[in-house]
Amino acid sequence: MFFGGGFRLGKIFGIEINIDYSWFIIFFLVTWSLAFGLFPFAFPQLGVTLNFILGVITSVLFFVSALIHEIAHSLMARASGVAINKITLFLFGGAAQLTDEPPSAGAEFKMAIVGPLSSLALAIIFGLLAFGANFQNIGLPFVAVTSTLAVINFWLGIFNLLPGYPLDGGRVLRAIIWHYNKNLERATRYASYAGDLLAAILVVIGVYELIVGGFVGGLWLILIGFFLFQAAESSYRQVKVREELEEAEVKDLMSDQAIQVSPAMSVEELVNNYFWRSKSRSLPVVEGEEMLGIVKLEDVEKHPQRNWQDLKVQDVMVREVQEVSPSEKASAAFRKINHSGEDRLPVVKEKRFLGFISLNDISYYLTLKKKKRLSR
Ligand SMILES: [Zn+2]
């Protein structure tokens, strides 16, 4: 549930840290419930102002704790060879953005478990600080902050260990199933069933809480339940799509492109007779059998219209073009298109232009496959 939008906080260990705007909701709620709920009740002698300040400090340190949890995931991922570009903190905690699925069940297990373990380690550290301070008679405000953080981190660790995918515990479960059945897609399916079940249990407990009068707690559980349900579904779908594209080759998905242009053609003719007619923004430049490059409308538009008559296609075309081969896996082409920033890439075999493959082709293929499956 990314609400879109947020800002960049900075970089740690080369990983970009982002904060989604929705995260401010949780920051506000945590600060509010600590400053006006828990602290005045537990430490009335500290007074309203001090309790408010302590609430803010605890919230900030809670934020740092959540960040440490995500960084632990990221560093372990990097050690396993999975690139992590950024971490986004949002409404329900954080998410480290993986560029790919983990390479093995063992790697996934380590990457998943290290997050909750770091939260539990933080719980122990804050707990010891609170205990030591209490013992030494160091100020009550210090005890208030550290003991609260010990409790929050403890529950953060425990909640994330619940075995519903895509929670960390669900990833651990997926890694274990994957280890035994050697099938990532099916392991993900079972782990997301566990995620659905866990989501349903949270909603049922939430409704029960509502009925017996725990309004805020109940609503919170229901919200987390729905979020988890949606996350389980969409995470499974992602793996499913990747798996289906793993089975197909570029030549099964690509579109033939009849319209090609020659390098000696004038840009004026290119625009009048080819761009407008083909409704495409880029066309292959072919001489004989060989593809020389791609000519793009945006490059043509850089030149004033009065020059179009004298300019030739070869003057404005791009020669260094990322291409895919027809026997390449569709999943690899999908990744290449996403990284290229283009909406389609040329399919080329031994310098011969065969057609284009676009994100549209890929989604059309997936839809068709789904229809076939349903009608069977
Ligand atoms: Zn985690």
Side-chain angles (χ1 to χ4, degrees):
M1 196 192 283
F2 290 88
F3 293 170
F7 65 91
R8 220 188 110 155
L9 198 66
K11 265 189 169 184
I12 302 176
F13 300 117
I15 304 160
E16 206 182 300
I17 312 291
N18 288 278
I19 297 186
D20 187 88
Y21 290 130
S22 67
W23 184 82
F24 285 96
I25 300 172
I26 188 109
F27 186 77
F28 176 77
L29 281 176
V30 171
T31 306
W32 182 274
S33 46
L34 289 174
F36 301 108
L38 179 70
F39 287 169
F41 177 74
F43 314 102
Q45 62 273 48
L46 294 179
V48 178
T49 317
L50 186 54
N51 271 327
F52 177 74
I53 295 170
L54 293 180
V56 175
I57 293 174
T58 310
S59 266
V60 170
L61 289 173
F62 164 60
F63 160 74
V64 174
S65 302
L67 198 57
I68 290 174
H69 174 119
E70 293 308 323
I71 288 173
H73 282 307
S74 305
L75 292 182
M76 185 57 86
R78 190 181 286 171
S80 316
V82 178
I84 301 275
N85 301 330
K86 66 181 183 185
I87 292 174
T88 305
L89 290 165
F90 65 112
L91 190 53
F92 290 99
Q97 253 145 356
L98 302 177
T99 50
D100 239 321
E101 289 295 335
S104 69
E108 157 126 274
F109 183 86
K110 279 189 263 172
M111 278 160 61
I113 197 90
V114 75
L117 287 186
S118 61
S119 290
L120 293 177
L122 284 170
I124 293 171
I125 292 168
F126 282 120
L128 287 175
L129 284 174
F131 184 75
N134 212 1
F135 201 65
Q136 296 281 323
N137 263 326
I138 300 175
L140 188 59
F142 184 83
V143 175
V145 170
T146 48
S147 60
T148 308
L149 284 165
V151 174
I152 293 180
N153 273 299
F154 174 75
W155 284 114
L156 194 68
I158 294 297
F159 176 75
N160 274 294
L161 276 177
L162 292 177
Y165 186 79
L167 293 180
D168 295 333
R171 290 182 186 277
V172 168
L173 177 66
R174 176 171 85 152
I176 293 170
I177 302 174
W178 184 15
H179 174 76
Y180 285 106
N181 77 355
K182 314 275 181 238
N183 183 325
L184 178 60
E185 190 259 317
R186 242 182 304 155
T188 311
R189 196 188 325 155
Y190 297 142
S192 38
Y193 287 158
D196 293 344
L197 182 66
L198 180 62
I201 292 172
L202 290 176
V203 171
V204 168
I205 298 176
V207 171
Y208 173 77
E209 281 276 305
L210 276 187
I211 293 168
V212 299
F215 189 72
V216 176
L219 216 55
W220 203 225
L221 280 172
I222 293 172
L223 196 63
I224 294 176
F226 275 110
F227 166 73
L228 183 62
F229 184 75
Q230 186 222 335
E233 293 306 303
S234 73
S235 310
Y236 170 61
R237 225 174 303 130
Q238 265 176 30
V239 173
K240 181 91 192 146
V241 161
R242 202 169 293 146
E243 200 79 0
E244 285 188 344
L245 293 181
E246 203 70 31
E247 289 161 11
E249 288 183 354
V250 168
K251 61 173 177 288
D252 309 324
L253 280 70
M254 57 181 272
S255 309
D256 301 333
Q257 166 85 359
I259 300 175
Q260 309 176 354
V261 297
S262 87
M265 183 184 290
S266 80
V267 168
E268 185 168 47
E269 194 189 346
L270 170 75
V271 172
N272 291 341
N273 293 337
Y274 290 84
F275 272 141
W276 291 166
R277 254 195 349 192
S278 69
K279 309 271 186 303
S280 357
R281 303 185 59 82
S282 61
L283 289 170
V285 184
V286 177
E287 190 170 49
E289 291 275 84
E290 193 182 330
M291 186 182 98
L292 301 179
I294 295 281
V295 62
K296 296 182 190 170
L297 187 58
E298 63 190 66
D299 291 328
V300 168
E301 281 168 341
K302 285 177 196 156
H303 299 270
Q305 202 169 341
R306 60 187 138 79
N307 296 346
W308 285 2
Q309 209 174 348
D310 301 323
L311 271 176
K312 300 222 176 304
V313 167
Q314 61 199 8
D315 305 324
V316 293
M317 63 183 252
V318 186
R319 285 164 201 276
E320 293 289 311
V321 184
Q322 173 147 49
E323 42 186 61
V324 294
S325 106
S327 56
E328 220 167 310
K329 279 183 178 163
S331 51
F334 182 58
R335 223 167 300 146
K336 275 190 187 171
I337 298 173
N338 276 332
H339 285 199
S340 73
E342 308 280 340
D343 54 351
R344 60 180 190 172
L345 292 177
V347 182
V348 179
K349 187 185 182 186
E350 286 152 9
K351 294 195 172 171
R352 263 187 59 203
F353 172 80
L354 302 177
F356 280 108
I357 180 160
S358 66
L359 292 178
N360 253 342
D361 296 328
I362 291 172
S363 73
Y364 182 73
Y365 169 82
L366 291 170
T367 318
L368 212 64
K369 224 178 151 187
K370 197 169 162 192
K371 281 208 176 117
K372 269 193 198 157
R373 221 179 9 247
L374 291 177
S375 67
R376 223 179 317 183

